[in-house]
Amino acid sequence: MEFTTDFERGGWLLARVGEHGVGGVAGTGFEAYARILHPVEATRRDVTVTDEWGNPEIVEEAMWPWAEVAVRNGRVMHPLVQWRNLTDDEDEAAMSFDDGWEVGQTVEGWFDPSLLAALTARLRAATEAPEEVTAGVWNGFGELNTSSGAVFVASTDGDPQNLQRERTRIDAELAASVAPQVRQAVAAGPFLQWPGRDFMLFDTSLSELADPSWVHSAGLGWTTDFPGVTPQLLWPADHAWVVASEIDFDSTIVAGSRALIDAIVADDRFEAFEIAEESDLSWDGDTINPAPKD
């Protein structure tokens, strides 16, 4: 993935930005649209096994589809479902169940590289330019601005010298993980000026994105300790489709041909629904499940 200053290539999509709904995120005028829900991290703790601080230890980890939580909470899955309506929770605390499982919050604006890798097979079949793909990355991610300081989490013996060494190591890795041209662009541009969002653009390909390890050479803040960022926009040179992970959405939108959307919705690797160009994916869009209690 290579940074580019060729922002004219995004003009076609800017001309198709809608004023409302999904069209404002992925562009208007496509045959069909799909919504891929971002899975959530789940852990199971065993109360009979405790760590050194007396907390139940994690004995199992998994990635859950939203449907798992919907079943457990007696809620309904549908194309415009909202996570907070499934959990009845406006806070960011984890939700616990009687069988020891605990589920965290969804991730907004971040499409798991493994899911993106799986999606590339569907995208490849729907374009004549699979090796000419543009990626757009929002310039506002803190992970791309290493001067702001890193979130520091370490499990050491508490020795101040060990803690300082660990902090120094992490800071150095974070600084090296952001490519110099990316760091410069974050501060000064130029950007693709989407309404309300400024994006840096990169050259990539479906072959590159088909291997999730691309993140470690992209210069987008990935280290051995912390995940970096992923693109908010992807499109091929023939403009056959758009993949959009809006920074405030916990789902990713794919806009493209009828065949592409049908294939994605039918693929059991994704928890996906067909939606419409005007679909409302805001919190108010879920009118089937009860809104969270105040």
Side-chain angles (χ1 to χ4, degrees):
M1 187 172 288
E2 296 290 336
F3 176 76
T4 177
T5 59
D6 176 15
F7 292 90
E8 293 183 2
R9 70 177 69 178
W12 76 278
L13 189 53
L14 289 176
R16 295 171 64 167
V17 177
E19 295 184 4
H20 306 288
V22 171
V25 172
T28 60
F30 291 92
E31 281 187 347
Y33 296 79
R35 178 192 185 198
I36 302 175
L37 304 180
H38 298 169
V40 293
E41 292 186 353
T43 58
R44 184 173 67 83
R45 297 179 182 271
D46 186 343
V47 296
T48 66
V49 182
T50 58
D51 60 23
E52 59 185 302
W53 297 282
N55 299 315
E57 284 196 356
I58 294 175
V59 295
E60 191 174 356
E61 296 178 298
M63 297 301 295
W64 276 10
W66 293 22
E68 177 69 27
V69 176
V71 169
R72 287 170 175 258
N73 287 344
R75 304 299 163 84
V76 178
M77 291 297 296
H78 62 96
L80 304 186
V81 64
Q82 288 294 310
W83 176 254
R84 71 174 196 151
N85 294 59
L86 294 184
T87 61
D88 200 19
D89 180 21
E90 289 190 276
D91 300 321
E92 294 193 357
M95 169 174 286
S96 300
F97 298 98
D98 292 340
D99 59 0
W101 279 100
E102 181 178 280
V103 64
Q105 290 293 307
T106 56
V107 181
E108 297 176 346
W110 194 88
F111 191 38
D112 188 300
S114 295
L115 279 181
L116 175 56
L119 183 63
T120 58
R122 301 300 182 187
L123 298 174
R124 180 177 291 276
T127 178
E128 295 182 357
E131 303 309 297
E132 299 176 77
V133 176
T134 297
V137 176
W138 182 51
N139 73 322
F141 285 113
E143 292 91 334
L144 302 181
N145 182 6
T146 55
S147 64
S148 64
V151 175
F152 177 67
V153 178
S155 60
T156 67
D157 56 11
D159 183 277
Q161 291 185 341
N162 290 339
L163 285 170
Q164 184 56 46
R165 280 194 292 268
E166 185 69 1
R167 182 188 296 273
T168 300
R169 179 188 68 80
I170 291 174
D171 284 346
E173 283 194 12
L174 284 170
S177 70
V178 180
Q181 63 266 36
V182 173
R183 191 179 298 110
Q184 181 178 356
V186 166
F191 306 116
L192 177 69
Q193 296 182 326
W194 193 270
R197 304 278 184 261
D198 285 340
F199 294 113
M200 299 174 290
L201 296 187
F202 297 80
D203 288 318
T204 185
S205 67
L206 292 184
S207 293
E208 180 177 32
L209 299 176
D211 179 357
S213 67
W214 68 265
V215 298
H216 297 295
S217 60
L220 295 178
W222 287 76
T223 73
T224 55
D225 297 282
F226 300 101
V229 306
T230 58
Q232 281 59 66
L233 287 173
L234 293 168
W235 73 80
D238 62 2
H239 308 163
W241 42 257
V242 171
V243 178
S245 299
E246 154 62 28
I247 62 171
D248 289 331
F249 284 2
D250 46 18
S251 54
T252 288
I253 309 304
V254 182
S257 67
R258 163 55 54 195
L260 171 61
I261 300 311
D262 286 347
I264 291 171
V265 172
D267 193 325
D268 60 11
R269 292 174 295 180
F270 312 114
E271 189 174 30
F273 294 92
E274 182 174 353
I275 53 176
E277 181 181 297
E278 64 275 9
S279 289
D280 178 9
L281 296 184
S282 71
W283 284 352
D284 295 331
D286 188 347
T287 60
I288 295 177
N289 294 298
K293 299 174 183 177
D294 295 330

